[in-house]
Amino acid sequence: MPTSPFKPPPPAPPAERFSVNDQVTHDRYGLGVVISVEDEVAVLVDFGSRQERITAPFNKLYKL
C-alpha cells in the first residue's frame, strides 16, 4: 500500500561515471583531471600539486 510505513526506501541515485581526461572538482582538493579509472571502484585524479585516489562512492567529486 502506498501509505505503508514498511515500504522500501527510494533507490539511491546512480553513481557518477568518470572517464580519463574528465575535468572534475573536489570539495577538498579543488580542480583536477581524471588520469585513471579503476572499474568504477576508484579514480586517480591529478590536482596539479598532488595526485589523489578517490574511491566510490564519489560523494565529493563532481564532473564539470
Side-chain angles (χ1 to χ4, degrees), residues 4-50:
S4 171
F6 302 106
K7 64 183 175 182
E16 185 80 52
R17 292 180 183 256
F18 296 98
S19 302
V20 174
N21 293 326
D22 280 349
Q23 291 189 350
V24 296
T25 184
H26 189 275
D27 289 350
R28 182 174 181 184
Y29 305 116
L31 297 174
V33 177
V34 176
I35 57 175
S36 175
V37 179
E38 299 175 19
D39 296 325
E40 299 180 20
V41 175
V43 293
L44 185 61
V45 182
D46 182 5
F47 291 103
S49 61
R50 65 191 303 166

